Amino acid sequence: MATFITPTIVAKEAIMALENNLVFGGLVHRAYSNEFKKVGDTVLARKPHEFSTVHDFASSGTTTSQTIVESTVPVVMDKLNDITFPVTSKELSLDVKSFSEQCIAPAMRAHAQAIDKAIAEKFVDIAAHYPVSTTPAVGDIAGVRTQLNLNKVPFGNRSVVLHPQTEQAYIVLDAFLHAEKRGDTRALKEASMGRVFGMDWYMDQNIQTHTATDAATNPNTLGAAATAGATVIKVIGATSTSASIPVGDVLKISGEANDKGHVVTTAVVATGGSASVTIAPAIETGGVASAATITWQETHKANLALHKNAIALVTAPLEPPLGGARGEVATYKGISCRVVYDYTSNIKTNVISIDVLFGIKVLDKELACRLCDAR
């Protein structure tokens, strides 16, 4: 029987299915390298440019030209995700629509889930946070918006992505029941809760849960004054002499000007009731006095509010196979995947492999905020 489903057809169907199933992947900055890469390679991804200086023409009477500098960030292509599955001659002779529904769509949904999960895991780099109320309310929405405003996040391209259980609590509020539905792809439309308070709200099953040290056992006061710019603080007062403080824990320090919170960047164990904790961002202007109270966020679902440019999804094409295997590389809207047809002699079966090479990078931690659901 003639084979009608070619690698080219599969690649085109696969890349469109992948794009249509991404949620997080459709809300972040996407960068693409047009050169063939392999796992472990580094790609210099172009970072969106911003003008930070405005010249006062009224005072000087002249203009001052600013040079647009193309800034790039190195991104390690450390994710090579593959799905390989056997196919029969009968399946390969199906019409394109049937083959896509039976074989390609399920594979690409799994790929999309893996990419979204990799993006969601970047919550550990995000320090700004706002706790969900015991009974989620509209005030939480205003609170997370305020955190973004304090961080000077641009108003456009703001999104909030929720854990299914957090979504369950919010979606029954009037603010969401009457929100306008929007979204550019099928996944975004189906996951969308609408636009509320200038942010597009979505649900993603890949939102992570951060397991924090019991806040009651953590050091809870500042052991020494912390000057502006400090990235290591001394904390004291742990009720447990061996309290572990993991990467991704978030805290706030009373008395810090315009405090948006800090994230622990290096895991540490309190010894004798005290610990030196490495944090980001640095202590704000004005510093903090000794004995200031430290408030730790409990274990929580790390829902994320973010601007598009907070995180980047970077993909690159993989080389087509050499030798007897047939293959095709397809690119669509800044996403690339490779399809390879092969024959496995030990099981005497035709197989199709679909793989995606990508890397995830936080571009600007200040453009995102956790909505911490500790319920």
Side-chain angles (χ1 to χ4, degrees), residues 57-346:
F57 178 82
S59 299
S60 64
T62 61
T63 61
T64 299
S65 179
Q66 299 183 51
T67 302
I68 297 179
V69 179
E70 290 287 349
S71 59
T72 58
V73 293
V75 181
V76 179
M77 310 301 287
D78 57 352
K79 305 288 187 182
L80 177 54
N81 289 355
D82 170 81
I83 293 179
T84 299
F85 53 92
V87 289
T88 65
S89 297
K90 182 178 180 180
E91 288 169 326
L92 290 173
S93 63
L94 292 170
D95 62 83
V96 175
K97 180 179 179 182
S98 297
F99 184 80
S100 180
E101 291 175 349
Q102 293 184 28
C103 301
I104 301 175
M108 301 322 291
R109 282 196 295 269
H111 267 305
Q113 292 283 344
I115 292 173
D116 279 351
K117 180 175 181 290
I119 297 173
E121 289 173 340
K122 290 300 180 181
F123 79 88
V124 296
D125 293 327
I126 307 304
H129 59 285
Y130 187 87
V132 170
S133 303
T134 303
T135 301
V138 174
D140 299 340
I141 306 171
V144 75
R145 174 186 167 92
T146 298
Q147 289 296 319
L148 294 178
N149 291 342
L150 290 173
N151 281 16
K152 299 180 181 179
V153 176
F155 289 108
N157 294 311
R158 289 185 180 187
S159 302
V160 185
V161 187
L162 303 178
H163 185 280
Q165 290 177 320
T166 308
E167 181 211 35
Q168 178 186 14
Y170 282 113
I171 202 168
V172 296
L173 299 178
D174 284 345
F176 291 103
L177 288 174
H178 304 295
E180 176 189 4
K181 304 298 182 193
R182 56 178 300 179
D184 299 323
T185 69
R186 181 179 302 169
L188 292 185
K189 287 178 182 177
E190 293 178 352
S192 175
M193 297 168 62
R195 186 168 179 83
V196 179
F197 283 22
M199 299 174 286
D200 294 317
W201 292 69
Y202 301 95
M203 182 278 295
D204 193 319
Q205 299 95 328
N206 297 290
I207 286 292
Q208 301 293 293
T209 295
H210 175 64
T211 302
T213 301
D214 184 354
T217 69
N218 273 353
N220 51 37
T221 58
L222 204 60
T227 59
T231 56
V232 178
I233 59 173
K234 182 180 180 181
V235 292
I236 61 173
T239 57
S240 169
T241 57
S242 59
S244 298
I245 304 173
V247 173
D249 260 14
V250 284
L251 60 106
K252 288 188 176 182
I253 306 173
S254 65
E256 188 171 10
N258 193 27
D259 178 33
K260 300 181 289 292
H262 303 276
V263 62
V264 176
T265 59
T266 304
V268 65
V269 176
T271 303
S274 67
S276 293
V277 180
T278 303
I279 60 171
I283 296 296
E284 297 175 0
T285 302
V288 189
S290 177
T293 300
I294 296 173
T295 303
W296 298 87
Q297 178 61 49
E298 302 173 77
T299 293
H300 58 275
K301 301 173 188 71
N303 305 289
L304 281 178
L306 72 163
H307 184 270
K308 180 179 181 180
N309 294 337
I311 302 173
L313 165 62
V314 184
T315 64
L318 290 155
E319 289 186 330
L322 299 175
R326 294 186 295 160
E328 184 71 26
V329 177
T331 300
Y332 179 65
K333 292 186 177 181
I335 301 285
S336 179
C337 76
R338 177 178 64 179
V339 173
V340 176
Y341 274 26
D342 205 353
Y343 180 79
T344 304
S345 59
N346 62 332

